[in-house]
Amino acid sequence: MTDAAALPGQPRGGVLSGRATARAVNVLAPNPSAMTLDGTNTWIVSEPDSDLAVVVDPGPLDDVHLRAVIDTAEKAGKRVALTLLTHGHPDHAEGAARFAELTRTSVRALDPALRLGDEGLGAGDVITTGGVEMRVVPTPGHTADSLCFHLPADQAVLTGDTVLGRGTTVVAHPDGRLGDYLDSLRRLRSLTVDDGVRLVLPGHGPVLDDARGAIEFYLAHRASRLAQVETAVENGHVSASDVVAHVYADVDRSLWPAAELSVRAQLAYLREHGLIGRERPS
């Protein structure tokens, strides 16, 4: 067994649900899969002395889970006053409308189609519900609408799917773009260098106690994959499906469809930068 502290980002072991920081509690959704890992992390964020809480990513449309989130907040003496979304994928956002109905809250997101209420989210916005400070960090790449939330008081960042607690994320081409994703990772790395961020509170998987180490691993991993894809194309593996079969040969085939999304994003990036020619039809 590998020591968790030796893995990128130093993931925490043990139970995933429960308190992660002074201000953040996770309620794990019952939707484990190869893509969602142990399930979706639904975060309840609040100041310790406040009776109001913010919920980030209610998760799937599962009444048992949604009510468990509310119950967890209420047992801590909190009322859910606002719902935020890191992005619109169903495992994070499908339950948002129902959760808003149960809590009588608005839903704020970057994508107007996901909002319930008049306010969206964008660069420079700061959430202050119940006195908690959460700074909106645009991090497109995994999807065009991906956001992270910087929680300065806990030296933490809630990353949705931009950085996971285990493994690496998919750049969901064509909505996701690799160039944007690399810029987003660099933006998050600057938070670790300039703003004291130490912890990653991810959308899936365990909390990471070494945010900078995790992000630098992600950047190195992407550079390595890009080099592998470029070499594969040079060797005649031109279509996305051929590249996946060559580069991801040692990866479980059940993950190949997701890998192909990332490969398509990598091929698009390489073409945009003039490093390869046009992709042949699959």
Side-chain angles (χ1 to χ4, degrees):
M1 182 179 293
T2 303
D3 182 359
L7 297 173
Q10 298 181 12
R12 293 184 187 176
V15 178
L16 293 172
S17 280
R19 182 163 297 282
T21 71
R23 291 164 180 79
V25 174
N26 180 34
V27 182
L28 182 65
N31 61 334
S33 72
M35 292 299 294
T36 61
L37 304 181
D38 310 275
T40 300
N41 294 334
T42 295
W43 291 100
I44 303 171
V45 183
S46 65
E47 279 296 312
D49 59 354
S50 174
D51 61 357
L52 300 180
V54 177
V55 166
V56 178
D57 290 349
L61 183 55
D62 181 320
D63 252 38
V64 173
H65 171 64
L66 300 178
R67 292 180 186 279
V69 175
I70 296 168
D71 288 346
T72 300
E74 290 181 347
K75 286 177 182 177
K78 315 282 185 181
R79 176 178 64 83
V80 177
L82 178 64
T83 302
L84 305 177
L85 297 177
T86 60
H87 65 296
H89 279 169
D91 55 311
H92 294 258
E94 186 183 38
R98 174 59 174 156
F99 189 72
E101 178 185 357
L102 291 171
T103 57
R104 299 181 180 178
T105 60
S106 61
V107 176
R108 296 182 64 180
L110 178 60
D111 184 349
L114 299 171
R115 300 172 190 167
L116 292 174
D118 296 330
E119 291 188 284
L121 291 171
D125 286 349
V126 180
I127 308 301
T128 57
T129 301
V132 71
E133 180 183 343
M134 300 172 67
R135 302 174 184 173
V136 177
V137 184
T139 49
H142 170 66
T143 61
D145 69 329
S146 287
L147 299 171
C148 292
F149 299 102
H150 177 200
L151 188 57
D154 284 347
Q155 298 179 292
V157 60
L158 291 88
T159 55
D161 281 354
T162 299
V163 177
L164 303 179
R166 186 171 67 250
T168 55
T169 198
V170 172
V171 177
H173 181 83
D175 182 42
R177 294 173 55 86
L178 182 57
D180 291 343
Y181 184 65
L182 294 174
D183 287 343
S184 293
L185 290 177
R186 296 183 188 108
R187 190 171 300 121
L188 291 176
R189 182 174 59 183
S190 74
L191 291 181
T192 71
V193 175
D194 301 327
D195 295 277
V197 166
R198 298 183 303 105
L199 304 175
V200 170
L201 309 181
H204 303 281
V207 171
L208 299 178
D209 287 317
D210 177 13
R212 185 172 180 179
I215 294 162
E216 289 183 346
F217 168 79
Y218 264 53
L219 285 164
H221 171 78
R222 289 294 168 182
S224 175
R225 281 296 194 211
L226 266 177
Q228 289 176 311
V229 169
E230 185 177 1
T231 299
V233 172
E234 290 172 353
N235 291 334
H237 304 281
V238 180
S239 73
S241 56
D242 286 347
V243 171
V244 169
H246 180 72
V247 173
Y248 292 81
D250 59 343
V251 174
D252 189 324
R253 283 178 175 254
S254 68
L255 298 176
W256 280 18
E260 185 167 332
L261 292 175
S262 282
V263 166
R264 289 186 181 278
Q266 290 160 342
L267 291 171
Y269 178 89
L270 292 169
R271 288 196 301 274
E272 288 166 7
H273 289 77
L275 299 174
I276 61 172
R278 292 185 178 181
E279 180 187 2
R280 296 172 187 169
S282 297

